[in-house]
Amino acid sequence: MVAIGHGRSASAAVAIEQCCAGLAGTRARLLLAFCGGKHDGLEIVTALRAAFGNSVPIVGGSAAGVIWRDGLGYSGLEVGLVAFGEDDVLPEVVVNRDLLGGEHAAGQALGKKLAEITPPESVVLMFYDSVANQSPLRLHPASDLVDGIQLGLAGHRIRLIGGGTLTDMNLSDAWILDGASVVKHAAVALVLPPELKDETVILHGCRPVSTFMEITRIDGAEVFELDGRPALDVIERMLGVTLGSTSSHDLSLIATLGEKQGDPYAAYDENLYVNRLILRANRAIGSITLFEKDFRQGTRVQIMSRDNALMLDSVRNGIRAINQAQRGRQPLLAVYIDCAGRASARSGASIEEARLVAEGLDPAIPFLGFYSGVEIAPFDGYSRPLDWTGLLTVLSAR
């Protein structure tokens, strides 16, 4: 099994030294690292090189917070490390550094590479930097990236699982560790050998509070109208709130827009919804901007209320299911990719749901998680970006 280390310090060197204390002398052949945004990425790489040598690939990226077996933190000073040792199966690293030139084209190029080297149904972990530009804020849309990957795969089926990195919960910046250094506008993929399979659960926590509405005017990720009326006005009326000048922030903490998959009249099931966080609102024109731009004119959506009690129930049910699924298997690693909005500092939950995950998961399974901007998981036979979810993946030999 892999080894896990974690640390927390304003000094990159000290944080890495703390990580190494948990690795029990593992001779690492590959490192997966997630680092709080107050750390300088180059200083982290320098400290890792000093500890592990110059030939060990370092992949991963910045994180709004790090989650480990007996704790978590989002001060920006945390570092989490997964070390693949001499006896562990080793992923193959594939990188694309062209997201700034167009996420869809970059995804297509990455998908073509993956199709060339990846056996069918193999698990691929992918991380990319969520923030393309700080001022004005522009994100790298995961929907374009994933659609491009699917086009490049040309029908070749893989299990794509991953997330978008952030430096903090305010979307200040993001960066990627691509194996060699610190980069922007990049996606790094870890192609796992075919003998490793995943068991993945998607943990939710939203419930519909409106009837179905049709998006009648949209441009990219900006929704102007729902059922022919200003989108912001509709949402405020449905929620029974009037938001002030901080509406973009307040709204993102209250509600999402959800698209129900399959039969729209089927009984409520949280697993049937793809939810989109609201990034900002424009009161002057009554629009809202979503985290992703995969909704279209004519898409039928519902306003979804973020429900902390439902979120915690979803975690408990998901952990119970994944522990049962691991019986008789040989687990290598569990990775938890958790939307930053689910942290109690953002959600207002009295309990850190990530702590429930870490404490409830079978203690024999090596575990590390990080707080993300977007989560990517197989959903109804096709990998999709998801918002306000917790994505728990256990990799094991069956």
Side-chain angles (χ1 to χ4, degrees):
M1 293 189 293
V2 301
I4 307 291
H6 64 86
R8 176 163 43 198
S9 173
S11 163
V14 172
I16 296 305
E17 183 179 344
Q18 293 170 348
C19 287
C20 291
L23 299 183
T26 299
R27 294 181 56 128
R29 294 189 296 155
L30 183 143
L31 297 170
L32 176 60
F34 297 104
C35 314
K38 290 181 181 175
H39 284 295
D40 179 273
L42 289 175
E43 291 181 359
I44 290 290
V45 170
T46 298
L48 287 171
R49 293 286 180 224
F52 296 97
N54 294 327
S55 62
V56 177
I58 305 168
V59 298
S62 59
V66 178
I67 306 155
W68 55 92
R69 179 62 77 171
D70 56 355
L72 59 85
Y74 33 81
S75 70
L77 303 177
E78 295 79 15
V79 178
L81 205 61
V82 179
F84 290 80
E86 291 181 310
D87 296 328
D88 296 319
V89 294
L90 204 62
E92 184 170 352
V93 179
V94 181
V95 183
N96 183 283
R97 303 177 182 87
D98 298 327
L99 268 64
L100 191 60
E103 294 84 3
H104 192 272
Q108 185 175 358
L110 181 59
K112 288 180 179 178
K113 287 184 181 179
L114 292 174
E116 292 172 359
I117 68 169
T118 307
E121 302 298 335
S122 291
V123 179
V124 177
L125 300 180
M126 183 190 73
F127 310 103
Y128 73 99
D129 51 327
S130 286
V131 180
N133 189 67
Q134 296 166 279
S135 183
L137 177 63
R138 187 179 78 81
L139 305 180
H140 283 305
S143 50
D144 282 355
L145 177 61
V146 172
D147 284 349
I149 289 172
Q150 296 293 347
L151 184 61
L153 286 169
H156 186 78
R157 295 180 65 87
I158 62 172
R159 296 275 296 175
L160 182 65
I161 298 164
T165 66
L166 296 170
T167 55
D168 57 42
M169 295 185 183
N170 295 319
L171 311 182
S172 299
D173 201 2
W175 41 265
I176 285 294
L177 299 168
D178 70 349
S181 188
V182 181
V183 293
K184 284 283 298 174
H185 314 301
V188 58
L190 298 178
V191 180
L192 295 163
E195 61 264 30
L196 282 183
K197 304 298 181 183
D198 76 284
E199 188 69 37
T200 298
V201 292
I202 302 170
L203 311 177
H204 297 269
C206 292
R207 67 174 69 251
V209 293
S210 77
T211 58
F212 288 100
M213 297 173 292
E214 184 176 318
I215 296 177
T216 48
R217 185 178 166 216
I218 187 171
D219 183 11
E222 188 170 11
V223 181
F224 293 93
E225 293 180 356
L226 294 168
D227 283 345
R229 292 170 292 173
L232 182 58
D233 292 351
V234 172
I235 291 173
E236 287 183 326
R237 182 176 58 81
M238 287 286 186
L239 295 176
V241 298
T242 300
L243 302 170
S245 59
T246 59
S247 61
S248 60
H249 173 73
D250 292 345
L251 198 54
S252 69
L253 299 179
I254 297 172
T256 68
L257 282 189
E259 181 187 17
K260 189 175 185 180
Q261 310 298 300
D263 182 2
Y265 303 106
Y268 168 73
D269 181 348
E270 64 176 3
N271 295 298
L272 297 179
Y273 282 88
V274 172
N275 296 308
R276 289 286 165 253
L277 284 170
I278 298 170
L279 180 62
R280 56 179 174 263
N282 186 329
R283 180 159 299 282
I285 59 176
S287 69
I288 59 169
T289 299
L290 305 178
F291 236 76
E292 294 293 333
K293 58 178 187 177
D294 52 343
F295 286 176
R296 301 284 184 264
Q297 183 169 323
T299 299
R300 299 182 72 204
V301 296
Q302 290 173 279
I303 298 171
M304 310 290 289
S305 175
R306 292 166 59 157
D307 186 318
N308 287 334
L310 183 62
M311 174 179 71
L312 299 177
D313 284 343
S314 182
V315 168
R316 295 184 181 100
N317 293 335
I319 293 302
R320 187 181 305 114
I322 210 163
N323 281 338
Q324 291 175 350
Q326 289 306 304
R327 292 174 181 171
R329 297 178 183 171
Q330 302 173 30
L332 172 76
L333 172 67
V335 178
Y336 190 43
I337 305 171
D338 197 14
C339 175
R342 293 165 67 91
S344 64
R346 281 289 191 179
S347 68
S350 59
I351 301 172
E352 291 283 8
E353 55 84 34
R355 191 177 297 276
L356 292 182
V357 173
E359 292 175 351
L361 184 68
D362 185 340
I365 305 173
F367 169 87
L368 188 70
F370 72 97
Y371 286 108
S372 61
V374 173
E375 305 76 56
I376 300 168
F379 188 97
D380 196 24
Y382 174 83
S383 287
R384 294 192 63 170
L386 304 170
D387 291 341
W388 214 62
T389 58
L391 176 61
L392 179 62
T393 292
V394 178
L395 303 171
S396 62
R398 299 188 181 184

